Amino acid sequence: MSQQTALLQKPVPLAQSTTYKILYVIGICHLLNDAIQAVVPAMFPIIEKSLDLSFTQLGFIAFALNMISSVMQPAVGLMTDKKPMPYALPMGLSASMAGVLGLAFAPNFGLIILSVLFIGIGSAIFHPEGSRVAYLAAGPRRGLAQSIYQVGGNSGQALAPLITALVLVPFGQRGAAFFSLVAAAAVGLLIYIARWYTEKLAIEKKAVIRQKRSAPKRSSLAKRVVPAIIFVLLLIFARSWYISGITSFYAFFAIKEYSFSIQHSQYLLFAFLVAGAAGTFFGGPLADRFGKKTIIAVSMLAAVPFSAIVPFLPPAAALACLVLNGFILMTSFSVTVVYAQELVPGKIGLMSGLTVGLAFGMGAIGSVGLGLIADLIGLKKMIIGVGFVPLLGLCALFLPSDKTVEQWNMKNA
């Protein structure tokens, strides 16, 4: 086992404080990366008319974007657990820049799919390494650090409705080309992050040599850890399917049921996503104080009444419920990542890639599945049905407690 691998499998407990500057910069980069991704669903109301696409085809576009990211993220995380690659971060955003330019000028469904694949590849490279940067900069505040990092991404996703209303409605499909400038800015910031990341690895490599630490052995705990991971993945499935249903199709629901314009329907989504970004930020500090399992369980189960009632409400009440639901549901987002990392502490990149990547993958499958359901039984019935998906949050009650996970790790230290 290489010294660098030993570092990543069991980070050396150095006396360090939280590096907030790096956390803020990587959070901004996450915002810019996910804002680029947000261009894709933001374009749905535009290309649905201009290219005469069905809900199922729109679902396949989201599938292409999210599935490539989902499949690649755990692989990238596993690879970088063994050999970290700081400069993969700006390289990934360069792929996204190429994809968003292609998206702006794609004349047909096939080329749109190809373009979003490039964006998905860039995202797959960025997320595991970005999460590792947040981990390395966290110091003792892992929940807060992951929240700062993840709130950047969720804020970028929240920009999708504004992108539609302020950029794509006036400029059409070619308005997506503006986001190549966003990608270029992210590449510049990630070069700065890559330099810090390289220096951090060098410092901690020396610490590994001094302390001669080795990776923990977890074979005796495999049977206990696997069920917990399965429950975590089920929770991610429930959250991702619900969010996919709202972000991909609720705008069409508002247009049909409330007679909203495209622009007005996007403001409902913007409120939901901004509230979700706020929930993401507060989730980490709350987990640091009250425990990760507690926050995950409360987040998933408290969202159920709001998600179930939203389709039956008038616009103002629906807006209020969307805001509350977005906040409550997303408090568990960053906490789930940290919980999974602590379940398998020797695989930071793999667990980050698996949890975040699975969220993308489940969202991708959800987009296709829910789009198909909407075509078959009607949009309103699909929106009503997806409101009950968060009931799967009952799985959170079966997760091992934070204290139990800590005891497992102490036994294998």
Side-chain angles (χ1 to χ4, degrees):
M1 178 184 298
S2 70
Q3 292 164 346
Q4 206 168 51
T5 301
L7 158 67
L8 293 171
Q9 290 190 327
K10 184 170 184 174
V12 180
L14 299 177
Q16 65 175 41
S17 59
T18 304
T19 312
Y20 286 101
K21 180 171 71 172
I22 293 299
L23 289 175
Y24 295 145
V25 174
I26 196 64
I28 291 170
C29 290
H30 200 181
L31 185 153
L32 298 177
N33 177 82
D34 283 26
I36 294 167
Q37 284 185 265
V39 173
V40 178
M43 289 184 67
F44 282 2
I46 307 299
I47 60 177
E48 186 260 343
K49 290 186 176 180
S50 64
L51 299 180
D52 193 26
L53 302 180
S54 67
F55 287 136
T56 303
Q57 285 177 307
L58 294 176
F60 270 110
I61 293 171
F63 179 86
L65 172 68
N66 294 324
M67 185 52 70
I68 189 69
S69 178
S70 174
V71 170
M72 285 188 63
Q73 278 195 50
V76 171
L78 181 61
M79 182 170 58
T80 54
D81 279 335
K82 296 178 180 179
K83 184 177 180 180
M85 297 182 292
Y87 285 92
L89 287 164
M91 290 173 63
L93 260 293
S94 298
S96 295
M97 182 164 59
V100 78
L101 280 172
L103 189 64
F105 299 100
N108 55 53
F109 176 70
L111 288 177
I112 285 177
I113 292 289
L114 180 62
S115 297
V116 300
L117 287 176
F118 274 92
I119 297 174
I121 289 169
S123 174
I125 295 171
F126 173 82
H127 281 99
E129 284 296 85
S131 187
R132 191 193 309 279
V133 168
Y135 188 97
L136 291 174
R141 305 291 303 277
R142 290 184 186 174
L144 175 62
Q146 197 63 223
S147 285
I148 292 172
Y149 169 66
Q150 296 294 350
V151 78
N154 289 336
S155 298
Q157 293 170 20
L159 292 175
L162 291 186
I163 291 169
T164 300
L166 303 178
V167 179
L168 297 179
V169 169
F171 296 99
Q173 182 179 344
R174 293 193 177 184
F178 288 118
F179 291 88
S180 62
L181 301 176
V182 174
V187 169
L189 289 172
L190 287 172
I191 290 172
Y192 168 77
I193 287 288
R195 290 172 180 169
W196 176 86
Y197 186 177
T198 302
E199 293 171 0
K200 183 72 172 178
L201 290 175
I203 292 170
E204 296 204 1
K205 179 180 176 182
K206 292 178 182 178
V208 170
I209 295 172
R210 288 197 308 269
Q211 299 180 20
K212 297 180 180 180
R213 300 266 181 170
S214 61
K217 298 178 181 179
R218 297 197 58 90
S219 57
S220 62
L221 294 178
K223 292 182 180 180
R224 298 180 184 179
V225 170
V226 169
I229 293 174
I230 291 172
F231 286 131
V232 168
L233 299 185
L234 285 172
L235 293 169
I236 293 171
F237 165 83
R239 187 176 60 222
S240 298
W241 267 61
Y242 179 74
I243 292 173
S244 177
I246 296 298
T247 57
S248 295
F249 301 109
Y250 191 78
F252 297 103
F253 176 85
I255 291 168
K256 182 178 179 180
E257 297 296 322
Y258 305 142
S259 300
F260 278 14
S261 67
I262 290 177
Q263 288 177 306
H264 283 101
S265 69
Q266 297 302 310
Y267 295 138
L268 287 174
L269 293 186
F270 179 68
F272 173 75
L273 293 170
V274 167
T280 299
F281 176 77
F282 284 102
L286 287 172
D288 286 338
R289 181 172 181 180
F290 298 107
K292 288 174 280 295
K293 176 182 175 178
T294 299
I295 297 303
I296 292 170
V298 170
S299 166
M300 297 298 298
L301 295 176
V304 174
F306 300 104
S307 64
I309 200 172
V310 162
F312 303 101
L313 298 175
L319 173 62
C321 273
L322 283 171
V323 169
L324 287 170
N325 203 32
F327 182 90
I328 293 168
L329 192 63
M330 292 302 288
T331 54
S332 64
F333 188 85
S334 62
V335 182
T336 306
V337 178
V338 177
Y339 185 86
Q341 288 175 340
E342 293 185 359
L343 275 176
V344 190
K347 301 293 182 183
I348 301 167
L350 174 62
M351 297 313 295
S352 299
L354 183 62
T355 52
V356 179
L358 186 71
F360 282 110
M362 289 299 99
I365 295 171
S367 295
V368 175
L370 296 174
L372 181 59
I373 292 169
D375 283 334
L376 291 175
I377 68 172
L379 182 63
K380 184 174 182 178
K381 289 182 180 178
M382 183 275 286
I383 293 292
I384 292 172
V386 81
F388 292 92
V389 171
L391 277 171
L392 284 172
L394 289 167
C395 292
L397 301 177
F398 299 99
L399 292 173
S401 68
D402 293 33
K403 185 176 181 180
T404 298
V405 174
E406 184 179 350
Q407 288 173 347
W408 289 353
N409 293 334
M410 288 177 64
K411 288 179 182 179
N412 286 270

